[in-house]
Each structure stands twice: as structure tokens, then as C-alpha cells.
Amino acid sequence: MRGMGNMQNMMKQMQKMQKKMAEAQEELGEKQIEGTAGGGMVTVIVSGHKQVLDVKINEEVVDPEDIDMLQDLVLAATNDALKKAEELTNSTMGQFTKGMNLPGMF
């Protein structure tokens, strides 16, 4: 019968961990991460769930003769923001998988 008690205890621990993981995921979605390019001429803000929330372009960088540069800056700022969001996700959610070998979890 001792094994059953351990199993129930383990299930309770898993339920607590799942609840904490869900809360952490929800908190991530509320975070806003900023990526920039061109010395702050272009700023992209994404959520912790990696959704683009806002794009800000300084009018000084808008040159109708050089649309390619503006596109590159938007792309670089977006990638910067997404990279930071990924790092935040890994550090936040990684606490739940420490010591576990679960490839591809987060």
C-alpha cells in the first residue's frame, strides 16, 4: 500500500507543477519585450507569447529612396525582440524542466 501513497503524492506534485506552469505561461503573455535596430530608429514590441504588439518607426529613418534599409531595420528589430522573448521564455519555463530530460518542451 505504501507505493500507492507515493503515487498519489507524485500526482499531487505534478498537478501543482502544471498549475504553476500555466500561471507562468499566462504571465509570459502579459510581458512586453522590446527589440530595436538602427540605434533605436525602429522599435518592435512583442509579447512573451511572441506576438508582435507594436512597431515604432522614427520618421528620420523613412526614406522613400531607400525602402530596403527600412525593411531591414524592421526585420532586425523584430528578430531582436523575438530573440529576447525566446530567452525570457527559456529562463521562465526552464525552472520547471530543470533536471528533467524533456527535449523540445520549451
Side-chain angles (χ1 to χ4, degrees):
M1 286 310 279
R2 185 176 165 95
M4 290 299 285
N6 285 341
M7 184 62 105
Q8 286 178 331
N9 193 21
M10 194 166 90
M11 293 301 288
K12 284 181 186 177
Q13 294 288 39
M14 287 297 288
Q15 287 172 340
K16 282 183 187 177
M17 188 170 126
Q18 284 177 328
K19 184 178 180 190
K20 287 182 181 181
M21 285 175 69
E23 289 169 357
Q25 275 285 60
E26 190 173 322
E27 286 176 21
L28 271 174
E30 295 170 7
K31 301 270 185 193
Q32 293 191 358
I33 301 101
E34 184 176 289
T36 60
M41 296 300 259
V42 174
T43 301
V44 173
I45 299 173
V46 299
S47 73
H49 288 163
K50 301 175 195 115
Q51 293 177 313
V52 176
L53 302 174
D54 197 10
V55 176
K56 298 175 186 173
I57 300 172
N58 187 312
E59 64 184 51
E60 294 171 34
V61 79
V62 178
D63 179 358
E65 301 296 316
D66 195 0
I67 296 298
D68 287 341
M69 182 188 66
L70 180 57
Q71 290 171 338
D72 288 345
L73 289 173
V74 172
L75 184 63
T78 302
N79 285 332
D80 184 44
L82 290 173
K83 179 180 175 225
K84 290 175 182 176
E86 182 70 23
E87 289 168 356
L88 179 63
T89 298
N90 288 340
S91 67
T92 301
M93 299 309 289
Q95 65 185 320
F96 298 108
T97 58
K98 279 185 187 147
M100 293 184 202
N101 188 10
L102 301 172
M105 269 298 270
F106 299 104

